[in-house]
Amino acid sequence: MDIKELLHNAVMKAARQAIADGAFSADELPEIVLEVPPQKEFGDYATNFALQAARAARTKPRAIADAIVLRLHESWLDKAEIAGPGFINFYLKADWLYQSLAAILADGREYGNTTAGAGKRVQIEFVSANPTGPLHVGHGRGAAVGSALANLLKAAGYEVEREYYINDAGNQIDHLAASVNARYLALLGQPAEFPADGYHGRDIIDTAQRIIDHEGDIYLKMSADERLAAFKELALKEKLAALKEDLQAFNVEFDAWFSERTLHQSGAISETCQLLKDNGSIYEQDGALWLKSTAYGDDKDRVVIRENGVPTYLAADIAYHRNKAERGFGSLINIWGADHHGYICRVKAALAALGYDAAMLEVLVLQMVSLYRDGELVKMSKRTGQSVTLTELIEEVGCDAARFFFIMRSIDSQLDFDLDLAKARSNENPVYYIQYAHARIASIFRQADEAGIDRRWSGCDFRVLAAPPEIDLIKKMGEYPDEISYAALERAPHRVARYVYELAGLFHAFYNQCRIVGVEPELAVARLALVTAVQNTIRHALTILGITAPEKM
């Protein structure tokens, strides 16, 4: 049991004892929230529990705080003080710090993993870009955040599956085939009219050229329909392979790739629509089938089958989410771009109409990314004149920097990505600053080995670690499991990025003030143990973020 859990239980025990003693009365007690005060003089932890309980108890907060503090008798608690209108500040005895460090070291590289998720099955669907061209920087943010969130949830004890929904049916694939066809004909000197809704990227020309390089002009002998059908399959296969390659280079993997086509081929769409029709959630009007989505909070009803019998995108999405639910996931998390915000309500409405709890679907909305170089907004790729691709971004700043910059801000805020800062090899670059801390610790270990210092800390007396930078590091590491659990609950991997940046800062302060090689043997071993714990924690956090932890820089 960690110190926050001990403290939580102690406060709750004291509150219940105070009620039993008649100090105050309350039918229900609020949740006890413990926070690390912003200033050291306010203690190791603080709570506003007395303020939260005051209304239910009809008692002044300070009276409640007094009653609790009077009944706190814990061996690890040095003192508890009341501040302001009723905050309680807790000052812990030094021994708990050293017990905490020993526990952190005992967990080794697993330190930070928690059981907060209790094995709950979660599916995360992210990126899911149309396989019609290269990924751009907006997709990159979704890829980084989605993969980091999956890692975070796993660390917090959830059972996680990562899925990519392949939009391989519908108009966008027809437009892809038509675009490749037009380029193919043009490259072979044939008359070709480029489709109005075609894709103009350089990659389409490259695809057409590769078809010519491999198979020449054999497709000219086919009818237009046959050629389009062939190009649809060839282009889709190529684009999907390139997309997977780009994601792999960005340290993003998926457990499942779900094809939209299978929903059409298996009859899942028509079967789902029939279910909704049978339970009265779909009606016919003007020859089309409409979902009664207004009955479940949407602002208007939605067409699912058009007058011509062709399913809408919504029909496929309803069948897809029904398929997800039937696979037994307790929670579905979709990461969508800001342009899909209005789509959330209708998908939730469809789940509710199918008899599922709409709350099982969480949609995280990513805000836009703006690239800046030399203080100027970068709108277009230098190479193609189109949107900057994820591959180009990785080539310029590297995978680690790109991932960290995408993750370090909350997804509900627009991200201004400073390309110059991301490339900088200085402490101003946050990912460099963190990785340098990890590499510095590896360098310390090499120096200690060269000096013949025994790094085994078994039986070491950690009480020699009394300097403020040492205490700060132990306290900060003690917060890490709670940070993981809370970040997972809030679906907020940016909290992990912020935490590890702060931990790296405390380590750099320690490094500048506390020598290891050349001090008394007992202190040297204790400090080596301390930085081992720091390195393990940094590595754990960077692994969640999908970023490397270098030994040398």
Side-chain angles (χ1 to χ4, degrees):
M1 188 179 295
D2 65 26
I3 192 63
K4 283 187 77 173
E5 191 172 354
L6 283 171
L7 191 50
H8 176 281
N9 292 346
V11 173
M12 185 58 73
K13 177 184 173 183
R16 287 174 177 157
Q17 186 61 53
I19 292 172
D21 294 343
F24 62 90
S25 62
D27 294 329
E28 289 186 15
L29 292 172
E31 180 62 29
I32 297 170
V33 178
L34 294 164
E35 295 182 343
V36 177
Q39 294 172 279
K40 294 179 183 179
E41 57 265 31
F42 296 144
D44 299 297
Y45 291 99
T47 184
N48 66 349
F49 174 78
L51 283 80
Q52 297 300 313
R55 176 174 293 182
R58 296 181 181 179
T59 306
K60 291 182 179 179
R62 284 193 68 95
I64 295 173
D66 271 326
I68 291 172
V69 168
L70 187 64
R71 291 164 176 80
L72 283 173
H73 306 292
E74 305 294 339
S75 60
W76 38 264
L77 183 63
D78 186 27
K79 62 180 179 178
E81 293 182 346
I82 302 167
F87 292 97
I88 305 176
N89 297 332
F90 304 97
Y91 299 79
L92 306 174
K93 291 182 179 177
D95 283 352
W96 79 268
L97 275 175
Y98 308 122
Q99 293 168 10
S100 173
L101 176 58
I104 293 168
L105 288 164
D107 282 351
R109 295 190 177 189
E110 299 300 309
Y111 179 66
N113 291 342
T114 77
T115 58
K120 182 178 181 181
R121 291 192 71 206
V122 177
Q123 188 222 51
I124 305 178
E125 182 219 324
F126 58 106
V127 185
S128 296
N130 290 340
T132 54
L135 299 174
H136 56 64
V137 293
H139 299 133
R141 189 180 193 189
V145 170
S147 57
L149 179 58
N151 295 336
L152 171 60
L153 291 173
K154 282 188 173 183
Y158 293 81
E159 183 183 334
V160 181
E161 183 170 303
R162 299 157 294 187
E163 183 156 294
Y164 191 110
Y165 181 60
I166 308 168
N167 295 278
D168 52 3
N171 291 335
Q172 74 277 4
I173 303 301
D174 293 335
H175 297 328
L176 172 64
S179 302
V180 172
N181 179 60
R183 296 303 189 191
Y184 176 84
L185 293 174
L187 287 169
L188 290 174
Q190 301 295 313
E193 182 178 348
F194 199 82
D197 295 319
Y199 297 106
H200 294 266
R202 173 71 208 185
D203 63 294
I204 300 296
I205 300 173
D206 294 339
T207 296
Q209 186 62 57
R210 276 190 286 271
I211 292 173
I212 294 171
D213 293 342
H214 285 91
E215 301 185 73
D217 63 357
I218 64 170
Y219 293 101
L220 293 179
K221 301 171 186 177
M222 295 181 176
S223 69
D225 288 344
E226 289 175 324
R227 189 167 58 248
L228 284 169
F231 286 170
K232 181 184 290 189
E233 299 308 314
L234 287 170
L236 179 60
K237 182 178 179 181
E238 179 186 280
K239 298 305 176 191
L240 191 56
L243 189 149
K244 289 181 178 181
E245 187 177 332
D246 287 350
L247 289 168
Q248 189 174 27
F250 199 44
N251 201 12
V252 178
E253 295 181 355
F254 289 90
D255 302 300
W257 295 75
F258 191 101
S259 166
E260 181 187 351
R261 282 185 179 183
T262 62
L263 296 170
H264 295 265
Q265 294 164 351
S266 67
I269 294 175
S270 58
E271 180 185 309
T272 302
C273 288
Q274 188 61 50
L275 281 173
L276 291 167
K277 197 171 183 180
D278 291 343
N279 71 18
S281 297
I282 277 182
Y283 63 92
E284 187 173 345
Q285 181 177 302
D286 299 328
L289 295 183
W290 296 70
L291 175 69
K292 292 182 181 177
S293 49
T294 50
Y296 302 95
D298 198 2
D299 60 344
K300 63 181 179 179
D301 291 345
R302 307 288 175 173
V303 176
V304 289
I305 304 293
R306 300 181 182 94
E307 300 167 30
N308 59 5
V310 176
T312 62
Y313 286 117
L314 178 59
D317 281 331
I318 295 170
Y320 176 45
H321 284 81
R322 175 188 167 217
N323 177 283
K324 289 185 180 189
E326 288 181 341
R327 281 185 267 162
F329 296 106
S331 177
L332 305 175
I333 300 174
N334 292 352
I335 299 180
W336 290 349
D339 55 336
H340 285 73
H341 189 276
Y343 204 71
I344 299 171
C345 193
R346 67 194 73 169
V347 177
K348 282 182 167 284
L351 279 170
L354 285 164
Y356 297 106
D357 181 359
M360 74 182 298
L361 173 63
E362 302 173 59
V363 180
L364 309 181
V365 178
L366 284 166
Q367 295 302 318
M368 301 294 290
V369 178
S370 297
L371 298 179
Y372 288 85
R373 184 187 291 112
D374 298 326
E376 298 291 328
L377 180 65
V378 178
K379 291 186 177 180
M380 297 296 180
S381 161
K382 290 182 179 179
R383 186 181 305 167
T384 67
Q386 304 293 321
S387 298
V388 178
T389 67
L390 177 59
T391 297
E392 289 175 312
L393 180 68
I394 295 172
E395 288 173 355
E396 181 165 353
V397 306
C399 177
D400 288 341
R403 286 187 64 94
F404 190 88
F405 275 61
F406 280 139
I407 298 167
M408 69 180 182
R409 298 280 183 264
S410 172
I411 63 169
D412 56 12
S413 61
Q414 182 166 324
L415 176 65
D416 292 338
F417 192 118
D418 187 333
L419 292 165
D420 301 305
L421 180 60
K423 290 186 291 185
R425 294 182 62 81
S426 70
N427 287 342
E428 282 69 43
N429 180 345
V431 69
Y432 179 89
Y433 187 67
I434 296 163
Q435 289 179 316
Y436 189 41
H438 188 275
R440 255 186 171 173
I441 295 171
S443 175
I444 290 171
F445 293 154
R446 292 191 291 271
Q447 294 172 28
D449 292 342
E450 289 171 5
I453 300 174
D454 187 345
R455 287 201 269 144
R456 291 174 295 184
W457 59 79
S458 178
C460 178
D461 185 358
F462 293 135
R463 288 177 294 182
V464 297
L465 301 173
E470 296 165 333
I471 300 299
D472 290 344
L473 277 174
I474 299 172
K475 284 183 177 180
K476 188 66 177 179
M477 286 189 290
E479 300 170 19
Y480 187 53
D482 281 335
E483 189 64 51
I484 292 297
S485 295
Y486 188 78
L489 180 66
E490 295 295 310
R491 316 308 195 214
H494 70 277
R495 292 182 64 100
V496 180
R498 182 176 63 198
Y499 171 89
V500 73
Y501 178 78
E502 292 171 354
L503 179 62
L506 292 175
F507 166 75
H508 288 306
F510 161 87
Y511 181 86
N512 291 329
Q513 298 177 54
C514 301
R515 292 176 56 201
I516 293 178
V517 177
V519 299
E520 306 81 35
E522 188 176 30
L523 180 58
V525 173
R527 285 179 172 171
L528 284 168
L530 174 62
V531 297
T532 297
V534 174
Q535 189 186 57
N536 285 342
T537 307
I538 291 175
R539 185 189 296 110
H540 190 278
L542 289 178
T543 300
I544 287 174
L545 301 177
I547 294 170
T548 60
E551 299 286 318
K552 292 182 179 180
M553 290 179 70

